[in-house]
Amino acid sequence: NVSCTDSVKSLNKTATMSFSVVCPVNCTQGSVWGTNTYTTDSAICVAAVHAGIVKEQGGMVKVSLASGRPSYKGTFRNGVTTSNWGSYQQSFKVSP
């Protein structure tokens, strides 16, 4: 299991193409950059709440790594605000 603030980078999973985590409850606070596609230093579970994959009660999330993007746009969704960021070397997406 992971904490609300764990990221792909903090979990040392940057070479793993996909993996699953179980998010705890109330993961609405933490640093996240992007919308739908997020930087790998973003909090996985907060991104999952933002994306609508899990609600505040937590749950299982699949993390799929992707190549980096030239920019990331922040938005407000599902009670979570994410931030804009420029170029970053690696990304991830979340799914149920």
Side-chain angles (χ1 to χ4, degrees), residues 8-91:
V8 172
K9 282 183 100 171
S10 74
L11 294 173
N12 232 0
K13 298 274 195 181
T14 53
T16 309
M17 286 318 293
S18 68
F19 59 96
S20 293
V21 298
V22 176
C23 292
V25 298
N26 296 324
C27 288
T28 56
Q29 299 294 314
S31 298
V32 178
W33 296 272
T35 298
N36 299 327
T37 302
Y38 306 94
T39 63
T40 52
D41 59 343
S42 296
I44 294 167
C45 294
V46 180
V49 171
H50 179 262
I53 303 303
V54 296
K55 305 289 185 226
E56 287 185 12
Q57 67 266 31
M60 178 77 77
V61 176
K62 182 179 179 190
V63 178
S64 300
L65 297 189
S67 56
R69 295 189 149 201
S71 66
Y72 297 82
K73 178 150 180 52
T75 56
F76 176 79
R77 287 199 315 213
N78 301 311
V80 174
T81 300
T82 63
S83 302
N84 295 327
W85 194 256
S87 179
Y88 201 79
Q89 69 269 22
Q90 195 173 30
S91 306

